[in-house]
Amino acid sequence: QLVLTQSPSASASLGASVKLTCTLSSGHSSYAIAWHQQQPEKGPRYLMKLNSDGSHSKGDGIPDRFSGSSSGAERYLTISSLQSEDEADYYCQTWGTVNWVFGGGTKLTVL
Amino acid sequence: EVQLVESGGGLVQPGGSLRLSCAASGFTFSNYEMNWVRQAPGKGLEWVSYISSSGSTIYYADSLKGRFTISRDNAKNSLYLQMNSLRAEDTAVYYCARDGAPYSSGWFDSWGQGTLVTVSS
């Protein structure tokens, strides 16, 4: 079964960096994912598509502070030089043959 | 600029029906596969349904059990979700989302602002 696992919460200080993790279920380590950001009271916003080899393509207007990387079944989103507006929920998303799956989301707090 | 604008949400009684619409602009709608995604209050994102660019292929989340019907009108650049036999657990913000590449299915690269559906007596 295709499942994405994310930690419920993360925190980091203003100006620092943070690395969020999304883990693919067993047998799905080759899958690409997408990262989406959802700021409070807003709709989701596409950040990037991230492949298993770590290559990624970002959405229009996404700052260079956002980057992605991969290792095995883990997919990472790194945000550097944290700003207050980065405080949001972050969701990873992937897809199978007939289904699309979201991780449970990570709530990022900027201290 | 890609724009997706949902409408049609509102308050409906359990067992009732509602039809959501998503108006698309800024891209060639007929080239893209589309999806509906929902988010219950305080919860995460849940994929609801997919429709191919031509409308010939459709998928639904297992949890819907045949109560929802997705459709599209490429001449009107519009996506629809017909929701029947609504339950309290269908209460959510419903988003339309575009697939990330023409004639391709996978990641979502554009989202609407959402429309709230509340199922309550």
Side-chain angles (χ1 to χ4, degrees), chain A residues 77-95:
Chain A
L77 173 67
T78 300
I79 311 171
S80 58
S81 302
L82 273 168
Q83 301 181 5
S84 57
E85 59 263 34
D86 298 332
E87 185 159 292
D89 294 324
Y90 291 85
Y91 293 91
C92 54
Q93 174 242 324
T94 192
W95 56 98

Side-chain angles (χ1 to χ4, degrees), chain B residues 13-85:
Chain B
Q13 291 189 338
S17 298
L18 214 53
R19 189 195 195 205
L20 306 182
S21 299
C22 172
S25 61
F27 65 102
T28 305
F29 181 71
S30 59
N31 289 353
Y32 283 82
E33 306 177 349
M34 298 294 295
N35 296 264
W36 285 100
V37 175
R38 69 183 180 182
Q39 186 172 34
K43 302 296 184 183
L45 300 171
E46 177 189 19
W47 171 74
V48 170
S49 184
Y50 156 96
I51 187 167
S52 64
S53 55
S54 67
S56 61
T57 302
I58 286 171
Y59 300 116
Y60 298 99
D62 291 342
S63 60
L64 297 181
K65 295 183 181 178
R67 298 183 296 118
F68 290 10
T69 301
I70 191 172
S71 62
R72 65 190 295 161
D73 186 335
N74 286 343
K76 294 183 177 180
N77 292 334
S78 292
L79 175 72
Y80 306 102
L81 186 68
Q82 176 67 43
M83 303 186 296
N84 298 330
S85 303

Side-chain angles (χ1 to χ4, degrees), chain A:
Chain A
Q1 187 182 4
L2 183 55
V3 175
L4 296 173
T5 302
Q6 298 181 253
S7 297
S9 63
S11 62
S13 299
L14 200 65
S17 294
V18 68
K19 190 175 188 178
L20 307 182
T21 303
C22 173
T23 304
L24 286 148
S25 48
S26 177
H28 301 100
S29 60
S30 65
Y31 280 48
I33 69 155
W35 283 104
H36 305 276
Q37 176 195 61
Q38 187 175 33
Q39 294 172 320
E41 306 307 316
K42 290 190 174 182
R45 175 194 186 194
Y46 167 69
L47 295 177
M48 69 181 69
K49 180 199 175 194
L50 175 61
N51 296 316
S52 59
D53 63 359
S55 60
H56 54 279
S57 56
K58 291 195 285 190
D60 293 342
I62 303 303
D64 292 342
R65 304 186 294 104
F66 290 81
S67 63
S69 59
S70 298
S71 177
E74 313 257 289
R75 305 287 180 265
Y76 306 105
L77 173 67
T78 300
I79 311 171
S80 58
S81 302
L82 273 168
Q83 301 181 5
S84 57
E85 59 263 34
D86 298 332
E87 185 159 292
D89 294 324
Y90 291 85
Y91 293 91
C92 54
Q93 174 242 324
T94 192
W95 56 98
T97 307
V98 298
N99 62 323
W100 286 255
V101 176
F102 288 93
T106 296
K107 183 177 184 61
L108 175 63
T109 301
V110 179
L111 304 172

